[in-house]
Amino acid sequence: MIDETVQQIQDEQIQSASIVAVKAAEALNVLSNREYHTVEDFMRSLVRNSRTLRQANLSHAMLYTTQQRIIAKVNESDPETVAAAQERLQTVTQDVATEIESSREQAAEKAATLIDDGDVLLTHECSSTVIATLNNALESGKQFELYVTESRPQYLGRKMIRQFANRVGVDATLIVDGATGYYLSEVDRVFIGMNCLIDEVVYNHIGTYPLVATAASEEVPVTVVGSASKFIGSGFQFTNEFGLNSEVLREPAEGFNVGNPTYDATPTRLLETVVTDDGMMRF
């Protein structure tokens, strides 16, 4: 299961940072069913496999922080037997997964209060926390129009908009990435997810920065929504990922290069609000 999860992360089959962190935590549970001679053998295996999961994508800050927390929590319990260490691992990974799910829902509930009935909203890529935010608004009886960017080159917006196709209370439209400037004049608020927030910079799927910068120019408020655990302190160095040329071109790139970064950096000064399970910050 660990190798399969690593492959899924590397192939970006799991786009949401929160879901990546949950899947990686759950993958470690396979170690609870393996045989080890000593606690030390088990801990070495846990550390090695956790490192493998973290290295599957060096840009996923939440993956880094949750895996570090799992190791620390198991280690600090000072288990005396292999069975005790394995039981502790199961408990910790379940706690981590539950915390991630809970923090996402709490952030979504807070962010949904920013949506008024009849609003026109715009979002980019396919954030699970933004999806939860919009679902919260619908469940409270609000109706809204929704523009979703295609979010090339992986077309994450196509996955996003299918979550709201034919939903009562939503008039959903998929737009090409370059058309955000055209549609922003109609928009009341932009909602964006995040991979992580380091210092005063939000790292998120490529295309976020030009969208937010254009929204700021048009005086359309932008809200970033995500778990507070995506606020990263020391110990993590963000490393961008670059996609394959084949994501951009069907034919080989002959005589030229292809620039396909996965993430870009958006300064918080361009945002109106960042909403997490801990609360709401205004800029």
Side-chain angles (χ1 to χ4, degrees), residues 5 57 72 84 111 186 250:
T5 303
N57 191 321
E186 306 173 25
R250 293 182 178 179

Side-chain angles (χ1 to χ4, degrees), residues 145-219:
E145 292 184 47
L146 178 65
Y147 290 113
V148 181
T149 62
E150 281 189 301
S151 308
R152 299 186 184 192
Q154 296 175 318
Y155 297 100
L156 301 180
R158 296 180 183 182
K159 180 179 179 181
M160 175 75 173
I161 201 164
R162 288 190 178 97
Q163 299 284 326
F164 298 96
N166 301 316
R167 292 278 298 277
V168 175
V170 185
D171 181 6
T173 303
L174 183 70
I175 65 174
V176 297
D177 291 345
T180 54
Y182 178 87
Y183 287 100
L184 273 169
S185 61
E186 306 173 25
V187 172
D188 295 299
R189 182 173 298 274
V190 174
F191 279 99
I192 299 293
M194 65 173 164
N195 176 55
C196 62
L197 193 155
I198 304 175
D199 296 326
E200 296 180 348
V201 176
V202 171
Y203 293 92
N204 196 50
H205 187 76
I206 196 71
T208 299
Y209 180 36
L211 167 58
V212 173
T214 306
S217 176
E218 295 296 314
E219 298 183 345

Side-chain angles (χ1 to χ4, degrees), residues 33-282:
N33 300 316
R34 295 181 182 175
E35 294 186 5
Y36 298 93
H37 294 295
T38 66
V39 173
E40 288 73 21
D41 288 341
F42 171 78
M43 288 304 301
R44 279 194 291 269
S45 177
L46 176 59
V47 170
R48 183 175 64 255
N49 282 282
S50 176
R51 184 185 305 116
T52 299
L53 286 162
R54 294 199 313 270
Q55 291 177 341
N57 191 321
L58 297 176
S59 66
H60 272 285
M62 199 172 189
L63 173 62
Y64 172 87
T65 56
T66 51
Q67 288 292 314
Q68 289 287 85
R69 191 155 83 249
I70 289 169
I71 299 296
K73 291 289 186 182
V74 175
N75 195 47
E76 72 185 17
S77 68
D78 196 20
E80 296 183 356
T81 65
V82 171
Q86 291 174 319
E87 183 178 350
R88 178 61 175 164
L89 173 63
Q90 291 180 320
T91 300
V92 170
T93 53
Q94 181 59 53
D95 288 347
V96 166
T98 300
E99 287 172 14
I100 292 171
E101 296 290 347
S102 176
S103 63
R104 178 170 57 199
E105 288 306 315
Q106 290 177 49
E109 287 178 14
K110 291 180 173 65
T113 64
L114 296 173
I115 300 175
D116 292 325
D117 189 40
D119 269 355
V120 179
L121 310 174
L122 189 152
T123 190
H124 180 61
E125 54 113 9
C126 189
S127 162
S128 62
T129 315
V130 172
I131 291 172
T133 298
L134 300 178
N135 282 331
N136 265 275
L138 288 174
E139 289 166 7
S140 69
K142 297 174 183 176
Q143 299 184 15
F144 52 83
E145 292 184 47
L146 178 65
Y147 290 113
V148 181
T149 62
E150 281 189 301
S151 308
R152 299 186 184 192
Q154 296 175 318
Y155 297 100
L156 301 180
R158 296 180 183 182
K159 180 179 179 181
M160 175 75 173
I161 201 164
R162 288 190 178 97
Q163 299 284 326
F164 298 96
N166 301 316
R167 292 278 298 277
V168 175
V170 185
D171 181 6
T173 303
L174 183 70
I175 65 174
V176 297
D177 291 345
T180 54
Y182 178 87
Y183 287 100
L184 273 169
S185 61
E186 306 173 25
V187 172
D188 295 299
R189 182 173 298 274
V190 174
F191 279 99
I192 299 293
M194 65 173 164
N195 176 55
C196 62
L197 193 155
I198 304 175
D199 296 326
E200 296 180 348
V201 176
V202 171
Y203 293 92
N204 196 50
H205 187 76
I206 196 71
T208 299
Y209 180 36
L211 167 58
V212 173
T214 306
S217 176
E218 295 296 314
E219 298 183 345
V220 177
V222 178
T223 295
V224 169
V225 57
S227 167
S229 61
K230 293 182 178 181
F231 283 59
I232 309 302
S234 60
F236 177 77
Q237 180 65 46
F238 182 86
T239 303
N240 211 335
E241 299 286 323
F242 287 81
L244 300 173
N245 289 0
S246 58
E247 291 180 338
V248 181
L249 291 172
R250 293 182 178 179
E251 68 276 8
E254 297 180 353
F256 59 91
N257 299 317
V258 175
N260 186 18
T262 301
Y263 299 98
D264 60 16
T266 302
T268 56
R269 59 179 170 78
L270 297 177
L271 309 175
E272 184 209 53
T273 44
V274 172
V275 183
T276 74
D277 44 305
D278 282 348
M280 189 180 300
M281 294 178 296
R282 295 188 177 273

